[in-house]
Amino acid sequence: MIRFEQTFMDFLLQHQERHNRTYHFLILMEGLINAAKHIQHSYLTGALKGNLGRAGDVNVQGEDVMRMDQIAQEVTIHYLHATGRVIHAISEEAREIVSLNPEGRYFVYFDPLDGSSNVAHGLPVGFLFGIAKRNLAGSEDGHLRAGKDYIAAGMFVIPTGTFTLALKDAGTWRFHIDETMNYVKPFQMVLPEDPKSWELSFNESNRFTFAEKVQNWIAQNERKYAFRYLGALAGDFHRILANGGMFMYPAIVNHPNPKKNRPQGKLRLMYEAAVVAFMCKEAGGEAVDETGSPILGIQPADHHQRTALYVGSKSIVEDIARILRSQCSGA
Ligand code: AFP
């Protein structure tokens, strides 16, 4: 007797019944999965095809574009367009919103290749995405949505191919990829509240550029937890979801070269911070910005808006959020 694992589509069909997700959502997810598999294949063969280098351009973020960033962007837009379900796509790699299907039902926010600094070394990168639904009942209120209005968010860690998906009010689920490149065996991710396995993840080389209260919090707490940092949000958050603890990219406010200060934070709100915050929330965790306010409550004014990010197990995030709020109230 052949043993068949539960596939992603089985999982979504079950979910669809419980949460009246339409087949439109299934088709959109199929498009995202095809894009991720294509990007994964391009990355795995990237060294052989000479695609792991710089493309020679600079993107809207002012960063050098890697050839793989271009490939991932082109692939994702192709598959999203092919679904016929996406109105606008908002991408880290495109200055303007990408209009796809006026009759579409969804807005998709994505970072097609998160962690570009790892590309040249073939190290883990990620494909991050968030989904919001158009207002079918009334007038269309556009693509600038707060994370709390997303209906789903997820990430693929490349090249391992592990896929994690959060569905509104239905939890965060991790899928394995089997020998037939199918996503199977969903298991629910719940952030461990026992600090024994917790980790801290941040760019240590920035420590003395953080706000003094944040530096003090790190000094008082860092010996309690293991320290891990990959330099790719998808990879670092992938670990935090499993082991607990906190990933943070605080505001940079004390840089010796004031031009390098980033009081508004580095990470992008709509397709980085809100995506991991949504998955974290559905896994029982929390995520806040530099003022200690929930990331999911931030109403974006621009689709490339940046934010500071503190995300992970509820009690440790709330511990630093108290400090951040006091910092704002000048207490
Ligand atoms: P991109 O390569 O997509 O811009 O992502 C990199 C990133 O935004 C995020 O994935 C990392 O957590 C963070 O930047 C790394 O930044 P540092 O290199 O400054 O640590």
Side-chain angles (χ1 to χ4, degrees):
M1 260 293 281
I2 302 173
R3 178 184 154 73
F4 293 97
E5 297 289 356
Q6 183 190 20
T7 68
F8 175 67
M9 208 42 85
D10 303 335
F11 167 84
L12 264 191
L13 288 170
Q14 270 176 14
H15 172 81
Q16 180 197 7
E17 262 142 51
R18 270 201 305 275
H19 297 271
N20 70 38
R21 284 275 174 270
T22 66
Y23 74 97
H24 297 289
F25 185 73
L26 272 65
I27 292 171
L28 173 59
M29 287 310 306
E30 179 73 7
L32 284 163
I33 284 179
N34 290 341
K37 287 180 181 174
H38 197 137
I39 295 168
Q40 164 135 338
H41 175 72
S42 305
Y43 194 47
L44 284 170
T45 57
L48 276 178
K49 294 180 181 162
N51 285 332
L52 298 188
R54 282 192 171 73
D57 303 347
V58 172
N59 69 12
V60 61
Q61 328 287 349
E63 295 158 347
D64 287 330
V65 177
M66 304 300 285
R67 178 74 191 103
M68 270 306 301
D69 287 322
Q70 292 178 328
I71 292 170
Q73 172 69 7
E74 193 185 333
V75 162
T76 309
I77 293 296
H78 165 77
Y79 285 106
L80 289 181
H81 191 234
T83 67
R85 277 8 182 230
V86 180
I87 317 162
H88 294 322
I90 289 85
S91 165
E92 182 192 62
E93 296 304 330
R95 181 177 301 281
E96 304 307 330
I97 58 177
V98 183
S99 298
L100 295 176
N101 310 286
E103 303 314 310
R105 291 167 78 92
Y106 305 104
F107 298 102
V108 178
Y109 316 95
F110 66 96
D111 180 350
L113 204 82
D114 168 66
S116 311
S117 60
N118 286 351
V119 169
H121 317 290
L123 289 170
V125 292
F127 175 24
L128 299 167
F129 67 88
I131 301 168
K133 201 167 167 189
R134 83 177 304 168
N135 180 5
L136 296 168
S139 58
E140 184 38 66
D141 43 14
H143 63 282
L144 291 174
R145 301 293 183 81
K148 63 179 171 47
D149 300 331
Y150 290 9
I151 60 169
M155 67 180 183
F156 298 84
V157 175
I158 294 166
T160 56
T162 310
F163 171 37
T164 307
L165 177 70
L167 297 161
K168 186 117 182 148
D169 307 329
T172 296
W173 299 78
R174 187 159 284 172
F175 299 80
H176 287 79
I177 198 161
D178 71 8
E179 63 282 4
T180 65
M181 290 294 281
N182 263 322
Y183 287 105
V184 296
K185 244 177 151 179
F187 64 96
Q188 189 158 14
M189 304 296 293
V190 177
L191 276 155
E193 269 310 314
D194 176 353
K196 254 204 330 292
S197 64
W198 285 6
E199 295 169 349
L200 266 189
S201 181
F202 62 92
N203 185 335
E204 171 69 25
S205 65
N206 291 341
R207 174 202 284 241
F208 300 107
T209 68
F210 301 154
E212 217 166 301
K213 286 195 172 181
V214 175
Q215 292 184 43
N216 297 343
W217 184 92
I218 294 172
Q220 284 149 22
N221 290 278
E222 64 184 329
R223 287 185 182 73
K224 301 177 190 165
Y225 314 112
F227 180 79
R228 297 283 182 277
Y229 192 69
L230 263 174
L233 176 61
D236 286 315
F237 181 66
H238 178 91
R239 288 185 66 99
I240 293 290
L241 257 185
N243 298 339
M246 179 169 65
F247 168 92
M248 54 184 170
Y249 206 108
I252 293 180
V253 292
N254 287 316
H255 198 288
N257 170 356
K259 286 203 189 83
K260 293 200 171 171
N261 277 334
R262 289 187 160 188
Q264 79 294 358
K266 174 191 179 183
L267 301 184
R268 279 51 58 131
L269 173 63
M270 295 192 82
Y271 42 79
E272 288 184 315
V275 169
V276 294
F278 187 98
M279 286 195 274
C280 193
K281 186 88 179 170
E282 288 290 337
E286 193 51 87
V288 299
D289 68 1
E290 195 71 14
T291 67
S293 312
I295 291 283
L296 294 178
I298 303 173
Q299 176 53 45
D302 174 88
H303 52 269
H304 293 303
Q305 182 172 323
R306 296 177 185 264
T307 180
L309 174 67
Y310 301 81
V311 58
S313 302
K314 196 172 234 151
S315 51
I316 191 173
V317 173
E318 280 172 357
D319 185 40
I320 199 164
R322 269 189 295 280
I323 305 278
L324 295 166
R325 284 192 284 270
S326 71
Q327 178 175 270
C328 293
S329 62

